[in-house]
Structure formats: C-alpha cells, structure tokens
Amino acid sequence: MRTIRVVAAVVERDGRYLITQRRSTAVLPLMWEFPGGRVEAGETDQQALMRETMHRLGVQIEVGKLISFVSHPYEHYVVDLFLYECKLVTETLEARAVSAYKWVQSNEFDQYPFTPADEASMNKLLGVS
C-alpha cells in the first residue's frame, strides 16, 4: 500500500484549537480535522503547511515544532500524519477550501466526528488511549 505524508497545524488561542470541516465532496466528507494537507514532492513539511493553510483558510502561519506523529492505515493507503505547533501570522480566516472552521476547547473534541488519523493524533496529544 502506498503511504501519503500529511501535515496538520495545531493552532491554539485562548484555550481553543482551530479545526476545519472537510467539504462534502472530499474523501471522508464533512469530517473534522486539524487544518493541513498532503505534502507534495519536493516540499518540506513547513512549506506544505503554509501552502495548505493559505489555500484552505486564507491565513498565514508560523510553523513551530513537531508535536505528534501517527501512522494510520485506511483501506487503500496509509496516512503518515505529522502535527506541528503553529501560530497565526494573519488573524482573518476564511472557509476557502473547507466546509467550515471552528475554535473549540479540547474537551469539546468528542462533539465533532474527526477523521480516524486526526482522532488518533488527538488521543495521543491528550493522553487518551
């Protein structure tokens, strides 16, 4: 099976985390995730995160340290998901290539259906098994 390298931004502000909802036409439609996307050939994780957050939310970010990694098998491929601590450089967000975005507290995560890879990452981050 092929492996897809995916990066996601963990952006925290005032005790809330930025999450985005996938479009209805996407794979895993309308599920929630940390903003990010696939790393393209020749790109660093940081470049991919900056490109993806601009494309999806129209926002510039500063990419910090790697905080979590999970490898999650799906039916036809494996996703290697790398989560980075990030800060917003620009404050105005737009739902450009996502269905929606929200700022939620970590204790509210269970109210949103997350993609399996993101859920595994959250559980690791929060120390939940």
Side-chain angles (χ1 to χ4, degrees):
M1 279 202 296
R2 69 187 174 113
T3 299
I4 301 170
R5 186 179 183 99
V6 174
V7 289
V10 177
V11 180
E12 184 268 336
R13 183 170 68 193
D14 301 324
R16 295 182 179 274
Y17 294 87
L18 179 62
I19 60 172
T20 56
Q21 186 178 39
R22 298 172 70 92
R23 289 179 165 174
S24 60
T25 54
V27 174
L28 304 172
L30 300 177
M31 295 196 88
W32 290 85
E33 62 191 357
F34 293 110
R38 187 181 303 214
V39 179
E40 302 293 344
E43 259 185 338
T44 65
D45 287 0
Q46 291 78 6
Q47 289 168 331
L49 259 179
M50 291 164 60
R51 175 183 50 77
E52 288 285 355
T53 52
M54 177 56 73
H55 172 71
R56 294 168 190 272
L57 294 166
V59 70
Q60 290 181 314
I61 60 164
E62 180 182 296
V63 181
K65 66 179 180 173
L66 176 68
I67 54 174
S68 178
F69 163 76
V70 295
S71 185
H72 186 82
Y74 287 89
E75 190 175 345
H76 300 292
Y77 51 87
V78 174
V79 168
D80 281 353
L81 176 62
F82 296 81
L83 263 64
Y84 286 87
E85 194 174 84
C86 296
K87 291 183 180 147
L88 295 181
V89 174
T90 52
E91 290 293 321
T92 307
L93 294 110
E94 299 172 48
R96 289 183 176 178
V98 294
S99 184
Y101 68 87
K102 287 190 176 194
W103 290 95
V104 299
Q105 293 180 328
S106 59
N107 64 358
E108 298 172 314
F109 284 160
D110 61 359
Q111 297 173 30
Y112 299 89
F114 276 85
T115 65
D118 279 83
E119 188 164 5
S121 289
M122 284 186 325
N123 290 342
K124 191 172 173 184
L125 276 175
L126 301 174
V128 178
S129 51

